[in-house]
Amino acid sequence: MPNGVFPSEQFTSDGVSYEYNSSNSTWDLGGENSTNQNGLFGGGEWALSDFDPFGSSIGFYQAQDSITLPGLDMSEYQTHQQLKQLTDFGSFDDLYLDVVSPPFQSSDGEYSKRVSVDSENSELNAPKNSSGSLEILKRYGSRFRRFNSEKVNVPSSEIQYTDSSGPTLAAELIIQLAAEKFIQSSSICSDELSMLNYPYPSSILANSAGDSKEVHLVQNLLLSAKNVGEKQYERAIKLLRECDRMSSTRGSPVQRLVFYFTEALYEKIDRETGTVTPKGLGKKTEDPLEALKFQDSTLIAFHCELPLAQITKFAGIQALVEHVAEARKVHIIDLEIRNGIHCTILMQALSTRFENPIEHLRMTVVGTKSKEKIEETGRRLTSFAQSLNMPFSFNIVMAEDILDLNKDLFRLDDDEAVTIYAAYTLKAMIGCPDRLEHMMRVIRTINPRVMIFTEIEANCNSPIFVDRFVEALFYYGAFFDFIANCMKDDEKNRRDAESTYFSSAIRNIVAAEGEERKIRHVSMSVWRAFFARFGLVEVDLSMSSMYQANLILKKFSCGNACTFDMDGKCLTIGWKGTPLSSLSAWKFQ
């Protein structure tokens, strides 16, 4: 198959000339290294000014000795670092992880277990009797965390202050209360109900008409999903019609969440019954992997307004910079660059280095499509490097198929410190294990100093529909609540993200099966076991990285509802206790 490597070209843009080399797509920019700090600081307080889409005024420097992270007792930090790592697992398809994530602020043991593999369809084999009320109960039961049974007050972060007729509780708490009612209505015996360990009846918490309506709405959604799982489609459709009536794309976070999950259930029914309805298969939707690629305006809005976006970028770049601290020539291989905001953070961090000043920064980007967009990003980054007076080259390795990648395409030099930056990209290959494994073998032959890995922290890869539905509902419920709080002054970008990316992802997780299911989030426990097969070991995130994360959090008014936890050596970032993303660093043994 063709490797898709570009021919030799030359580009000029923004008054900057770049040489576009032959064997790979490359722009080279020479220049003298500068000690100009460009808004970065060698010590003292950080500053966060108006956002420049391709720059930042947050600096990199050594952290203080004493650090306090929300949701994490730093006196227990070393204990967290020593948590047992999973090894000797075969592949993603050899793993069956309980689809509900472990309690977020707990250091309980791993929740994964081995099961048999169906080699023909390469799907997880899960217990055959996992649908039904009892199994949903077990999965919801582990979600009821944080509340102390001796207290009846609800954390202030769970309350939305509105008029008495509207909803007053956060989305995840509404879902929890709906689960309680759903379980109570399923005629499950009292000893099974005790598994919830949930101290507050809905009569205490759902204290407004709006809360009660939303609890009822989610309860109908859950019952509909249960009916779909049991192939009771007529009953499911009746409940979905009620969900239609009570939800909308412009309502509360819960109403918007239910709207998109209702559409996903309509599509699930259409796929299983061979019908086409306006809200199901009759609605034109974008390929879920393409929908993942936000417009630049939305990506920039996310970077500016969501603490999660900045925490993973700044803490991750801090970790990367520390692993090339003594190198004068640095080569970053980015598995999916998008608009390159994180690259400007890296450039600024390297440009202020007084010891071992950078002599040359090479950036190689892997792409399978969207050549023009990657080229545009390269031109912007090259111009940005010139503003820093930094010698810089930008390479593109285009392959029509990941299986075409090999080490020789990356133009590695012995005197370069090579690193890998993998943010929200490897999950797209989970459904194609041959390509994911090939990518890992290529990375192993490159043998980078470090691989910085950022991913969604959720378990939406079970072949069992009900399991995926439950996990996805909680994850996206937390995320809808997260962006509703943090982007309350930016309705346009929030709506655009929900109606494109999140809508498409939800539909694919809920409705699709087999190879058509392309959105396959797995937790760090699964990634850790998978990476172990290739000799990757987790390395500590430094206290400087932790300090970066904590300082960024303090810059956001919504930051008090974000939570940090350590899963082994991995930093997990959540919203009101629900994990959203993870950041980790890896090396080959």
Side-chain angles (χ1 to χ4, degrees), residues 8 43 114 120 146 203 210 212 259-260 262 315 319 364 371 409 422 425-426 428 446 454 478 511 588:
S8 175
R114 299 290 300 275
E120 291 184 1
R146 292 191 300 130
S203 59
S212 297
F259 178 88
Y260 294 118
T262 296
T364 299
K371 166 186 170 183
L409 295 175
T425 183
L426 293 183
I446 292 172
T454 304
F588 286 97

Side-chain angles (χ1 to χ4, degrees), residues 505-522:
I506 289 168
R507 289 176 75 108
N508 189 256
I509 291 169
V510 171
E513 300 291 349
E515 293 182 357
E516 292 184 335
R517 183 156 52 84
K518 300 178 180 180
I519 307 299
R520 294 171 176 259
H521 307 315
V522 298

